[in-house]
Amino acid sequence: GSAGRWVRCRLTLVCLVQDVPKPEGCRAQESEEEEEQEKSADEGFMGMTPLLQAHHAMERMEEFVHKVWEGRWRVIPHDVLPDWLKDNDYLLHGHRPPMPSFRACFKSIFRIHTETGNIWTHLLGCLFFLCLGIVYMFRPNMTFVAPFQEKIVIGMFFLGAILCLSFSWLFHTVYCHSEGVSRMFSKLDYSGIAFLIMGSFVPWLYYSFYCSPQPCFIYLIVICVLGISAIVVSQWDRFATPQYRGVRAGVFVGLGLSGVVPTLHFVISEGFFRATTMGQMGWLFLMAVLYITGACLYAARIPERFFPGKCDIWFHSHQLFHILVVAGAFVHFHGVSNLQEFRYTAGGGCTESSAL
């Protein structure tokens, strides 16, 4: 034993003194020494001072961020997520890990995980309404009775839809960045829903009460006050927590159902037949059904509640909610387009035959 150690020491000395390729004995001894150093470093981590421990932790975090930056990350199950990323207990697998890099978050758009469907449903919907809005805004003025006013009120709908869908897909993209970023973008997401509801009311009230400007103005003021109130409530930090899922759905469903009052006013003043034909109440009712159904699925977490782990990637409640929101917005646009076309056909007057 002592003779062997003496030989290894001589080999080491030769390797250090002479600039020659190291023999097998030198490499073997260095390997042993490196293993001992790593082992002692790992064993000594718990004995380090808090400052050294923090430095070591920062090095590990930098290594993790580098891996995320390069796109080398894997989806993880729900039970290992930090609390601020836990939103739906029934989605068991396929979650993104915390990724403190905006570049990595945006690159994850092209990876398969629980948020993939949420991102793309509203990203494509946003592009669709953006293109549709540009085409509609550049329609010839001769197709409108009052081009300036009508393009503004219809533009309010497109603005609300684009803001809602933009805030939504951005939130779902950067949701895993950090707790602070997630909280900030969730508030934008909820504000976008209020903008969509308020923007949807504007053209419908304008055309439905075209010949009754006073109630139109009153209803616009009321919906704006309610919408701003919903935005203020959504800035509350607890509003975004899983425990308040039902409250979130209730706030925005209630904001949308505030349209029942002007709807009843319209039906009573114009009659049921005119309201459902020229007034396009059928499309408005279908829009309400789509929105409310989506909100109920979202609040109840259906269908993943009945099939835990089976809808982790596709067809879970949030994706269905997104699809129904885009469908409801398009249905509303179709109804408003029909109202605009009827107003153009009837002309700018408010005779008994032309008024809605």
Side-chain angles (χ1 to χ4, degrees):
S2 61
R5 287 195 296 274
W6 184 83
V7 170
R8 287 198 298 272
C9 290
R10 289 291 301 273
L11 284 171
T12 303
L13 182 60
V14 170
C15 295
L16 292 173
V17 173
Q18 299 180 5
D19 188 15
V20 295
K22 298 180 182 179
E24 190 66 28
C26 295
R27 290 197 296 268
Q29 183 180 0
E30 286 186 349
S31 177
E32 291 177 1
E33 291 175 352
E34 289 175 358
E35 290 179 359
E36 290 178 359
Q37 291 176 358
E38 292 177 358
K39 183 178 180 181
S40 62
D42 291 337
E43 291 176 351
F45 176 73
M46 297 305 296
M48 291 181 181
T49 64
L51 184 61
L52 290 176
Q53 289 181 5
H55 178 71
H56 194 64
M58 285 298 297
E59 288 180 344
R60 290 184 176 179
M61 177 59 72
E62 288 176 1
E63 181 181 357
F64 171 75
V65 171
H66 178 72
K67 289 181 179 180
V68 170
W69 187 275
E70 297 297 327
R72 297 197 301 267
W73 56 269
R74 295 182 179 180
V75 294
I76 59 177
H78 179 272
D79 56 359
V80 301
L81 288 171
D83 290 339
W84 58 272
L85 272 178
K86 290 181 178 179
D87 180 64
N88 192 333
D89 298 338
Y90 299 106
L91 304 182
L92 304 182
H93 306 284
H95 297 272
R96 289 175 299 177
M99 299 192 298
S101 163
F102 283 109
R103 179 181 177 182
C105 290
F106 280 95
K107 287 174 67 175
S108 72
I109 291 175
F110 304 100
R111 295 277 298 272
I112 301 298
H113 45 82
T114 54
E115 298 292 343
T116 302
N118 293 336
I119 294 169
W120 281 101
T121 48
H122 276 185
L123 175 56
L124 295 176
C126 177
L127 294 175
F128 171 76
F129 278 102
L130 179 62
C131 295
L132 186 62
I134 292 173
V135 171
Y136 204 87
M137 291 298 104
F138 282 94
R139 284 181 58 186
N141 288 343
M142 64 183 65
T143 58
F144 297 92
V145 175
F148 182 74
Q149 292 181 2
E150 294 183 66
K151 287 186 177 182
I152 286 179
V153 297
I154 295 177
M156 295 298 292
F157 162 74
F158 282 117
L159 179 62
I162 292 169
L163 285 177
C164 174
L165 300 175
S166 297
F167 290 159
S168 177
W169 78 262
L170 284 172
F171 163 68
H172 288 285
T173 299
V174 303
Y175 170 60
C176 62
H177 181 279
S178 61
E179 186 173 5
V181 169
S182 173
R183 187 182 298 116
M184 179 180 68
F185 276 85
S186 69
K187 294 175 182 179
L188 288 177
D189 185 24
Y190 302 138
S191 300
I193 298 174
F195 284 133
L196 172 61
I197 295 173
M198 289 190 291
S200 299
F201 269 92
V202 174
W204 181 77
L205 290 173
Y206 175 82
Y207 286 115
S208 297
F209 295 93
Y210 189 85
C211 296
S212 304
Q214 185 175 359
C216 176
F217 179 75
I218 293 173
Y219 289 135
L220 281 174
I221 293 297
V222 171
I223 190 59
C224 287
V225 170
L226 293 176
I228 292 172
S229 300
I231 292 173
V232 172
V233 170
S234 67
Q235 305 309 300
W236 185 34
D237 287 342
R238 290 190 180 182
F239 192 77
T241 59
Q243 295 81 4
Y244 284 78
R245 179 186 300 269
V247 175
R248 292 196 295 271
V251 166
F252 296 114
V253 168
L255 179 61
L257 288 178
S258 63
V260 170
V261 175
T263 300
L264 290 176
H265 181 170
F266 179 72
V267 171
I268 293 172
S269 62
E270 299 295 332
F272 183 78
F273 177 76
R274 287 170 64 85
T276 54
T277 53
M278 292 178 289
Q280 304 297 310
M281 291 300 299
W283 293 111
L284 186 67
F285 178 76
L286 177 59
M287 176 205 68
V289 169
L290 292 172
Y291 282 161
I292 294 173
T293 301
C296 291
L297 292 177
Y298 166 78
R301 291 181 286 186
I302 296 173
E304 65 268 17
R305 173 183 292 275
F306 303 111
F307 308 100
K310 303 299 183 182
C311 306
D312 293 340
I313 305 300
W314 307 114
F315 304 111
H316 55 75
S317 59
H318 210 119
Q319 286 180 14
L320 298 179
F321 172 55
H322 277 203
I323 293 170
L324 291 173
V325 165
V326 175
F330 180 76
V331 165
H332 183 75
F333 168 74
H334 180 70
V336 168
S337 298
N338 290 342
L339 283 173
Q340 186 273 325
E341 187 174 349
F342 172 78
R343 174 49 51 193
Y344 174 74
T345 304
C350 286
T351 61
E352 185 175 350
S353 59
S354 63
L356 280 176

